Amino acid sequence: MDSKYYQEALEDYKEQQQEQAQTKEEADLWDKRINKTGCYVENMALQLCHADTNDWRQCMKEMALFRKCWDQHGNNQRVGTVDLVDNKGK
């Protein structure tokens, strides 16, 4: 599936990874958590689309990419257990 937002997000992600490797700087907690889903680029593409269009209905391609990635990485099962673990420490 071709999406200009996906391509932009992928390029940004690669640059971010290179910068972090060079500076040995860690990602913030939000980025770490999204990265663990395996769908960081798809999530960013969806956010970029919505920020640009201000209309989720125009982002159906990006939403489909995100959903496919989310399902492929088994995140529906993962979310409940991650939330339980995170809340126990609070």
Side-chain angles (χ1 to χ4, degrees):
M1 208 178 279
D2 188 32
S3 164
K4 72 176 186 176
Y5 300 108
Y6 181 86
Q7 293 304 318
E8 184 180 341
L10 183 59
E11 289 171 23
D12 287 348
Y13 180 72
K14 287 178 182 178
E15 288 175 17
Q16 179 186 44
Q17 294 300 305
Q18 287 176 346
E19 287 175 16
Q20 286 177 357
Q22 291 172 353
T23 63
K24 297 184 181 174
E25 184 178 315
E26 286 194 35
D28 65 27
L29 270 117
W30 172 255
D31 285 341
K32 282 182 180 180
R33 193 162 184 182
I34 296 300
N35 210 7
K36 284 182 182 180
T37 67
C39 301
Y40 185 94
V41 174
E42 291 79 0
N43 179 66
M44 182 58 65
L46 185 53
Q47 289 183 42
L48 289 170
C49 179
H50 184 257
D52 189 37
T53 64
N54 203 28
D55 183 359
W56 288 112
R57 294 169 295 184
Q58 293 184 38
C59 304
M60 298 308 281
K61 185 185 303 183
E62 291 74 20
M63 196 171 295
L65 285 170
F66 179 76
R67 171 56 76 190
K68 181 178 178 184
C69 180
W70 189 262
D71 291 343
Q72 285 178 338
H73 286 89
N75 287 304
N76 286 335
Q77 295 80 19
R78 181 184 166 280
V79 171
T81 59
V82 170
D83 287 342
L84 288 175
V85 170
D86 287 350
N87 288 329
K88 284 183 182 179
K90 293 181 183 178

